[in-house]
């Protein structure tokens, strides 16, 4: 979505530089390239951008809520995922043992 927002802002900046609002402009609508004017495309572009931004914000918030619910559930029921605590353990053990590359030389 970040890429989409950057593309929309880039298009919006380009359309803001156009002096003639009746100049031809092309917009991709549902996979079809439609000929319109700059005056028609600008509001649609701004509307789509604001809707996408609000959608991303709401999805991020719901993701945070679900992640917290998952963590609470795992703590409540004592669930541990294999490999989840392993990186911290490896860091402690890694200092004591030298790393082996696993290469045999004859």
């Amino acid at each position: 979505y970040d890429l989409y927002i950057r593309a929309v802002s880039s298009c919006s900046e380009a359309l803001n530089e156009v002096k003639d609002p009746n100049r031809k402009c092309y917009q991709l609508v549902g996979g079809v390239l439609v000929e319109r004017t700059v005056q028609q495309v600008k509001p649609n572009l701004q509307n789509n951008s604001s809707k996408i931004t609000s959608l991303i914000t709401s999805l991020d918030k719901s993701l945070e809520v679900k992640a917290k619910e998952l963590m609470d559930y795992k703590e409540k029921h004592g669930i541990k995922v294999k490999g989840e605590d392993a990186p911290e353990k490896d860091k402690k053990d890694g200092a004591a043992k030298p790393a082996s590359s696993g290469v045999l030389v004859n």
Side-chain angles (χ1 to χ4, degrees):
Y1 297 111
D2 240 5
L3 182 64
Y4 178 78
I5 291 172
R6 279 189 258 139
V8 167
S9 67
S10 172
C11 288
S12 192
E13 288 173 11
L15 289 177
N16 285 335
E17 293 176 8
V18 175
K19 305 256 190 260
D20 182 17
N22 294 320
R23 185 175 173 178
K24 278 190 208 178
C25 182
Y26 296 93
Q27 182 179 19
L28 192 63
V29 179
V32 178
L33 198 58
V34 181
E35 181 180 321
R36 297 196 174 159
T37 63
V38 171
Q39 185 177 13
Q40 293 170 325
V41 171
K42 263 185 176 177
N44 292 341
L45 197 61
Q46 292 169 347
N47 188 23
N48 289 345
S49 176
S50 66
K51 284 182 180 179
I52 289 290
T53 304
S54 66
L55 176 68
I56 290 172
T57 303
S58 86
L59 287 175
D60 282 341
K61 287 179 184 176
S62 85
L63 180 63
E64 289 174 10
V65 168
K66 289 295 178 185
K68 184 174 178 353
E69 287 176 12
L70 179 63
M71 293 301 294
D72 292 343
Y73 184 83
K74 285 166 59 175
E75 287 177 11
K76 179 181 177 183
H77 297 286
I79 298 172
K80 295 191 180 196
V81 178
K82 184 177 180 180
E84 198 170 70
D85 294 328
E88 292 177 12
K89 185 178 178 182
D90 288 344
K91 288 179 185 175
K92 292 176 186 174
D93 293 341
K97 297 179 185 177
S100 171
S101 65
V103 177
L104 296 176
V105 179
N106 227 356

